[in-house]
Amino acid sequence: MTLGRAEGTLKGDGIFRRLRQDEEPAGSRRYKLNSMKQSVRLAGGIEPLFGTRDENLKLLESVLGVTTILRDNRLEIDGEAEPVERAARLVESYNELIREGRNFDDGEVKAALHLALAEPDVTLRSILAPSRPRVFGKKSVSPRNSNQRRYMELMEKHDMVFAIGPGGTGKTYLAVAMAVSALLTKQVNRIILVRPAVEAGERLGFLPGTIQEKIDPYMRPLYDALYDMLDADRLERYLERGIIEVAPLAFMRGRTLNDSFVILDEAQNSTSEQMKMFLTRLGFNSKAVITGDITQIDLPAERRSGLVEAIEVVGKIEGIGLISFTEGDVVRHSLVQRIIRAYEEFDGKQAAMAFPSAGRQTPGT
């Protein structure tokens, strides 16, 4: 992308000017018959639109195969007709939001552009300004891919949602974000965050301190997400008053959870009995989100994961949402995707070595 001062207006004020080969001076760039150039006046918010070191515009250019140049407050877009029109629609959609007084950071815009470019039917408005109000406290939260967008929509639409997939896909973080939004917009009166107290190869009994002090390290990821969205003082008040509760799964027995947004995290480590107990705690005007990674089960080998069983038993019940994430949805460091893929390939090879005759017929049969 090239930045520059005003260099005159485009012919016809830059509105869908189609360029023909015979319009170009001798020796200049040769345009295809369906090439075009369009100029869009920017309403403001130029820095978030461009991104750090123009990374957002570079994304737009690379995906759509167009070039852009800024002349004063107009963005000129040049390339094939259809991509140019699509790029112009995205910029105009951004303009509309800016005119409404909305403010975004470059990370929000980048995430929205990634999603809008991946799905042509998705608009920036539907991502950056959804129809239902979402208030995430001090943090702005936007879906970074199509599965995250669908996940957030499922949590708004359904009273119970299962989210399955590897770590780093935003399952827990987005669930906590939607819970905070529901609390701040008074859709619910409290948030309850739950995890099974299952040790990943460790023993709780050998840790020093009270039972709460032993449990807290296993709840830390949930606290981290809350501190990311709420001011520390506000969060401490909510915790003291029981408006937000973080507890082991075992503490849910015998309770009925009304007017609550309940999240069961690391659900792959719940037993069948615990999962059934949790699913039947849901009260009036409540939502439940169950997240987990069925490839990382820390239960004893003889115990079946309650999450795996629940997907089979209740996964198809009307009113329950189910979404599966893959390594392609990981939003952590790019190495994480490759590590997850490598482990999946390794596990596949190990399984093939363990059962080399699977699928083969015995001679003579």
Side-chain angles (χ1 to χ4, degrees):
M1 194 202 76
T2 305
L3 301 179
R5 299 179 60 83
E7 298 179 20
T9 59
L10 294 174
K11 183 176 179 180
D13 200 28
I15 305 301
F16 294 89
R17 182 167 80 89
R18 294 192 178 277
L19 303 176
R20 301 191 309 274
Q21 289 182 350
D22 57 10
E23 288 182 312
E24 299 302 311
S28 67
R29 179 182 172 184
R30 309 293 287 181
Y31 286 86
K32 296 181 180 180
L33 291 176
N34 63 340
S35 293
M36 66 182 298
K37 185 181 290 186
Q38 184 170 352
S39 176
V40 181
R41 184 182 296 277
L42 299 178
I46 292 179
E47 290 184 7
L49 176 62
F50 283 22
T52 305
R53 297 182 180 177
D54 300 337
E55 62 180 357
N56 292 348
L57 279 192
K58 289 175 182 176
L59 172 66
L60 191 74
E61 290 177 333
S62 64
V63 173
L64 297 181
V66 299
T67 58
T68 62
I69 183 171
L70 179 66
R71 302 185 192 277
D72 280 347
N73 63 340
R74 304 186 74 92
L75 186 68
E76 295 180 2
I77 308 169
D78 191 5
E80 298 294 313
E82 186 175 341
V84 167
E85 291 176 0
R86 187 176 170 196
R89 285 196 300 271
L90 287 172
V91 177
E92 282 293 2
S93 178
Y94 178 79
N95 276 339
E96 291 174 5
L97 296 171
I98 294 298
R99 293 189 191 103
E100 294 172 5
R102 299 178 185 270
N103 297 305
F104 309 103
D105 59 45
D106 56 353
E108 286 181 280
V109 177
K110 182 179 180 180
L113 281 174
H114 267 293
L115 187 50
L117 290 169
E119 298 189 39
D121 295 334
V122 175
T123 65
L124 289 184
R125 175 175 290 278
S126 67
I127 303 167
L128 295 172
S131 55
R132 293 190 182 187
R134 292 174 181 169
V135 180
F136 301 111
K138 66 180 182 179
K139 185 81 172 181
S140 59
V141 179
S142 298
R144 297 196 175 188
N145 51 54
S146 57
N147 262 348
Q148 286 194 352
R149 179 178 66 88
R150 181 166 168 259
Y151 181 34
M152 296 176 79
E153 291 173 350
L154 283 174
M155 286 188 281
E156 289 179 329
K157 181 179 178 181
H158 296 290
D159 288 338
M160 185 174 290
V161 175
F162 287 84
I164 315 302
T169 52
K171 303 184 303 296
T172 302
Y173 191 85
L174 289 178
V176 173
M178 294 300 286
V180 168
S181 178
L183 179 66
L184 297 181
T185 55
K186 301 187 184 305
Q187 298 174 46
V188 298
N189 294 331
R190 57 181 173 164
I191 297 172
I192 301 175
L193 308 177
V194 183
R195 270 190 166 195
V198 174
E199 315 92 352
E202 299 156 356
R203 289 291 177 267
L204 282 174
F206 292 103
L207 294 175
T210 65
I211 182 63
Q212 190 61 46
E213 290 171 335
K214 292 180 179 183
I215 290 298
D216 273 352
Y218 295 92
M219 305 295 157
R220 180 50 52 187
L222 301 176
Y223 284 112
D224 290 343
L226 288 171
Y227 276 108
D228 208 23
M229 295 171 207
L230 296 171
D231 292 325
D233 291 343
R234 190 179 202 180
L235 177 56
E236 293 299 333
R237 288 198 307 271
Y238 284 167
L239 290 169
E240 289 174 3
R241 297 174 184 174
I243 295 173
I244 295 180
E245 179 182 349
V246 182
L249 177 57
F251 287 18
M252 295 298 105
R253 189 173 300 277
R255 302 177 62 179
T256 300
L257 306 174
N258 295 316
D259 299 305
S260 303
F261 197 118
V262 193
I263 300 170
L264 173 56
D265 192 36
E266 296 289 330
Q268 76 275 4
N269 289 327
S270 65
T271 64
S272 298
E273 296 80 9
Q274 287 176 326
M275 178 61 74
K276 181 179 178 182
M277 177 271 293
F278 175 82
L279 297 180
T280 55
R281 297 307 94 195
L282 196 65
F284 295 107
N285 190 41
S286 291
K287 286 181 179 288
V289 178
I290 301 95
T291 72
D293 179 359
I294 58 177
T295 68
Q296 297 196 20
I297 298 173
D298 297 320
L299 293 171
E302 68 274 9
R303 302 299 297 272
R304 192 182 188 203
S305 167
L307 177 59
V308 174
E309 182 177 274
I311 294 171
E312 295 179 6
V313 176
V314 305
K316 294 183 180 179
I317 292 179
E318 185 177 355
I320 295 179
L322 174 63
I323 186 165
S324 296
F325 292 91
T326 68
E327 79 277 355
D329 298 311
V330 172
V331 291
R332 291 177 182 166
H333 195 289
S334 58
L335 276 175
V336 176
Q337 291 186 7
R338 282 174 268 175
I339 290 170
I340 293 171
R341 193 177 302 116
Y343 269 102
E344 288 179 346
E345 292 174 357
F346 175 78
D347 289 342
K349 291 178 181 177
Q350 292 293 102
M353 292 174 62
F355 303 99
S357 61
R360 298 179 185 174
Q361 288 189 336
T362 302
T365 60

